[in-house]
Amino acid sequence: MAQFAGKTALVTGGGRGIGRAICLELAAGGATVLVNYHRSAAAAAEVVAEIAGQGGVAHSLQADASHEAQVAELFKQARALTSGLDILVNNAGMTRDNVIMLMKPADFDAVLDTNLRSCWLCSKAAARLMMRRRSGSIVNITSVVGISGNGGQTNYAASKAGIIGLTKSLAKELASRGVRVNALAPGFVETAMTADLSPELKQSALAAIPLGRMGSPEDIAQAVAFLASDRAAYITGQTLVVDGGMVM
């Protein structure tokens, strides 16, 4: 039997990049997948269609996960479509890079809202459902930048470091109710977010990766599936780094 058969997973930012790969991986494991998107309706629809084409079940749900009212509506729709929620993957994210002296407060706030506030709001909504059932797994997508820091990314690094702290605190709150909470920290991954990097920056990044290549969205998705599955039943409050050895 598929490891996620009979289970429902919600993935924020599920229409593109890492989120898309996570949706496809969980669906391949038998999960019914709720593909959340903010603006990329067409991309989310493509993910749903691809899952359906492979014999799976998926639905696309629009919401800005950083807005409380929209998150409430998102989870209302999720409950209407499925019998419950077993897996939440908080993947929604964005960057607005600049050195601190040139970064506008609005750019700091936007990144913290999209990356960290959305994670907190969705985790709160999911926890309410999971605690009642005394089971569930939340996987929060952070970044190696949240561990090591990175020049020109004070907003992004702060948001991703915040996700690690949120993960540990929430894991302690929910463990007694049978709900696990973990984080996954990707390194350099080939997505639209890294496609605009200069060749020089990409070469510099590759030189710092012992395995000698950038990660793929599938590398991240497979690790997320492990943390979400019963194979990780005794793992909670941890941050799994998937970076080819870059920050070790």
Side-chain angles (χ1 to χ4, degrees), residues 130-136 173-180:
M130 293 176 176
M131 288 169 69
R132 291 173 186 163
R133 304 176 70 180
R134 303 190 74 84
S135 69
E173 288 188 23
L174 301 184
S176 65
R177 301 297 184 93
V179 180
R180 298 183 300 105

Side-chain angles (χ1 to χ4, degrees), residues 11-26:
V11 182
T12 66
R16 297 176 176 174
I18 289 173
R20 174 183 178 277
I22 292 169
C23 289
L24 295 174
E25 183 71 22
L26 295 177

